[in-house]
Amino acid sequence: MVAFGSFKDICETAALVVCPLVETQQGVEPTCYSRNVEIARSLIFQPATCFVHIVAIIMTGIMIYHVRSKYTAVGRKEIVMFFYLYALIELLAIFLDSGIIPTASNVYPWFTAVYTGLIAATYTCLLINGFVGFQFAEDGTPLSLWFLRLTCLAVFGVSFFIAIATFKGIAGLNYLKPIGLWIIYIIWPAICAIIYIISQLILVIRTLDDRWPIGDILFGVGFFTVAQVVLFAFSTTICNAVKHYIDGLFFFTLCMLLSVMMVYKYWDSITKEDLEFSVGSKAAVWEVKDPLLASAGGAYSTGHGQLSAGPMSTYGGGMDDDGSMNYHYGNNGGTGGSLVGGVSGGQYYSQHGYPPQGGGYNERY
């Protein structure tokens, strides 16, 4: 039974990065943990979990790339900050879980405090992103972005201070009773996740016609719940069953990665890019109609990368397979009308001859 404010029962089951620094001077050792491997005369702890951390960083980079490519999507700049913070957590976890930074090192408490602050800031970022869709402040504006950044920075600073003060026994905090650290590490993430889930369900039900994003939310909730249950309830059971090759931390990290991927999948499903203003879309096809030049019977049709139109009425373009631009004009492939009204140079010369007569041409040239 987990006691409020105590890491003892939790750390006996799960090998968290804070466990060597709390409850006793030597920390709390888990009952069962995965085997170590020796690489270049160095012991690497949690090798399977470290592999998942590396995969998580790669997958997060892919998600960031796709988020940034949706130039006109709602909340693009806000949600990408969440993925940046998650990538930082996974990068730092590689050094802490693997023992590259030894638990006996003087810098281990400082890196663990940074890790704790990043976790609190990441969940805060997720929480604020849950309200971006309600447009209390227009997304992408300085007000929205700086509110998000400053709030996350403030939460990071407070969490970092509480963590390092608990490890070092300063400011009235003590590793023997790490209640403040317990609230930041255990309670705050749960609160942020619950509020985010409820806000997104309200957003989908009240504002969207499509109900499929609810499935993404439910999958994310499922992965998140499984991660917590496996880590805090069945880690020792799993570790003993597979003879210490992996433990609950491996499945926790994997399920958390899947839940983050569902956050991306959900965001992608509820945001649509305005193709009129998109950049870099290879299949982009567009047209500009000049009402002054449109013929009464002109008809047009569009296709993938090309356009055929009535005479002197439309202008179309697209991207070739090699990435270069192509343009198609009306009037059976002849010269089209001017985009701003009147006739084009080619039409004028075909009617009046070249060089143009009068207007001082001969006098100038």
Side-chain angles (χ1 to χ4, degrees), residues 90-215:
E90 292 300 301
L91 179 63
L92 193 55
I94 294 176
F95 295 93
L96 296 174
D97 286 338
S98 66
I100 295 176
I101 301 177
T103 57
S105 172
N106 292 330
V107 299
Y108 185 86
W110 294 94
F111 277 96
T112 304
V114 172
Y115 179 82
T116 303
L118 284 175
I119 289 178
T122 302
Y123 278 97
T124 302
C125 184
L126 180 67
L127 172 65
I128 297 176
N129 269 278
F131 295 96
V132 170
F134 294 95
Q135 293 291 290
F136 293 113
E138 187 176 356
D139 65 287
T141 60
L143 175 62
S144 175
L145 293 175
W146 280 107
F147 174 76
L148 176 64
R149 293 166 182 167
L150 293 177
T151 302
C152 291
L153 181 62
V155 172
F156 170 82
V158 172
S159 302
F160 173 82
F161 175 77
I162 292 176
I164 196 63
T166 301
F167 301 150
K168 298 294 185 180
I170 59 177
L173 299 175
N174 195 296
Y175 60 84
L176 297 176
K177 293 182 178 180
I179 297 178
L181 180 63
W182 196 87
I183 292 174
I184 292 173
Y185 208 91
I186 305 297
I187 299 298
W188 179 245
I191 292 174
C192 292
I194 292 172
I195 295 177
Y196 176 80
I197 293 166
I198 294 175
S199 66
Q200 297 316 290
L201 288 174
I202 294 174
L203 180 67
V204 172
I205 294 173
R206 295 191 60 181
T207 63
L208 299 181
D209 295 330
D210 189 6
R211 294 293 183 264
W212 283 107
I214 295 179

Side-chain angles (χ1 to χ4, degrees), residues 308-349:
S308 59
M312 296 171 53
S313 61
T314 59
Y315 166 90
M319 297 290 290
D320 282 329
D321 291 337
D322 61 356
S324 60
M325 299 297 300
N326 62 65
Y327 304 96
H328 309 275
Y329 297 92
N331 200 20
N332 298 324
T335 54
S338 169
L339 294 178
V340 295
V343 296
S344 67
Q347 291 170 327
Y348 181 87
Y349 297 143

Side-chain angles (χ1 to χ4, degrees), residues 51-63:
F51 176 77
V52 178
H53 288 316
I54 296 172
V55 173
I57 293 174
I58 296 173
M59 293 303 301
T60 305
I62 295 173
M63 289 185 286

